[in-house]
Amino acid sequence: MSTKSTGPRSQTPDIHLAQQPDADALLGRSPLAALVGMLLDQQVPMEWAFSGPYTIASRLGADDLDAHEIAARDPEEFAALLSEKPAVHRYPGSMAQRVQQLCAFLVEEYGGDAEAVWADAATGKELLARLQALPGFGKQKAQIFLALLGKQYGVRPAGWREAAGPYGEQGAYRSAADITGPESLAKVRAHKQEMKAAAKAAKAAKDAKPSGN
């Protein structure tokens, strides 16, 4: 496995996304765990999503995730692994499939080395394109992960904040990229609730608007 790096990971970052010491330690030292956590971060609380990689590794009897091993697993067996209680995700079957698709892509394109996705990216725009090419990563998820890499993992190619869009802004509390502890988690939660309320109000106003001239 390649260990090529631009030098940003010389020091393991202090991550607090899972709000569990062992799970957060894995996120800090394992590029693949960070990617899988980001993949799982939808339709469940962030702590649940980002503790998923540690749960998967533990059930595999390993101290880290291995893209080659996960990609080669029997799909039904892997889905059952994620479905064990407590389940890794609200939709463990479909997310197991997505995790395997991500790992298979990393094996095919990057030799199974998740860090190679960003290790030699020259610009934020290039890195965003690489992240968006990953299975399960749309533009928003890719921008949030790019912001997370820049803000907490020290991966900062030229123009990374701009490429991450609003998630790259300094002092923002919009996403997982901004969570460094319970206080910031509460701020991000509050922001998400405000966004949901605003969207609901906008929809209600639109629905109430009389049609016609």
Side-chain angles (χ1 to χ4, degrees), residues 28-64:
R29 69 176 186 268
S30 169
L32 180 55
L35 269 181
V36 170
M38 189 73 243
L39 179 69
L40 295 172
D41 186 22
Q42 58 188 65
Q43 298 179 295
V44 295
M46 282 175 280
E47 310 97 293
W48 185 359
F50 283 98
S51 65
Y54 179 76
T55 303
I56 295 171
S58 297
R59 291 177 184 176
L60 289 171
D63 60 4
D64 196 356

Side-chain angles (χ1 to χ4, degrees), residues 65 70 85 99:
L65 301 180
I70 292 173
K85 295 190 181 300
V99 171

Side-chain angles (χ1 to χ4, degrees), residues 184-202:
S184 50
L185 173 61
K187 289 181 180 179
V188 171
R189 273 233 165 87
H191 173 78
K192 287 178 178 286
Q193 289 169 352
E194 287 172 13
M195 293 298 99
K196 283 183 181 178
K200 187 175 180 180

Side-chain angles (χ1 to χ4, degrees), residues 171-184:
Y173 290 96
R174 289 189 171 92
S175 71
D178 306 301
I179 295 171
T180 55
E183 185 179 342
S184 50

Side-chain angles (χ1 to χ4, degrees), residues 5-13 115 118-119 149 152-156:
S5 172
T6 52
R9 289 179 56 83
S10 56
Q11 185 174 349
T12 302
E115 189 174 10
W118 55 83
L149 286 174
Q152 299 200 43
Y153 288 84
V155 179
R156 297 165 182 157

Side-chain angles (χ1 to χ4, degrees), residues 2 105-114 116-118 130-131 133-134:
S2 168
F105 183 88
L106 291 172
V107 169
E108 181 70 24
E109 299 295 327
Y110 296 99
D113 181 7
V117 175
W118 55 83
R130 291 187 185 187
L131 292 171
L134 297 174

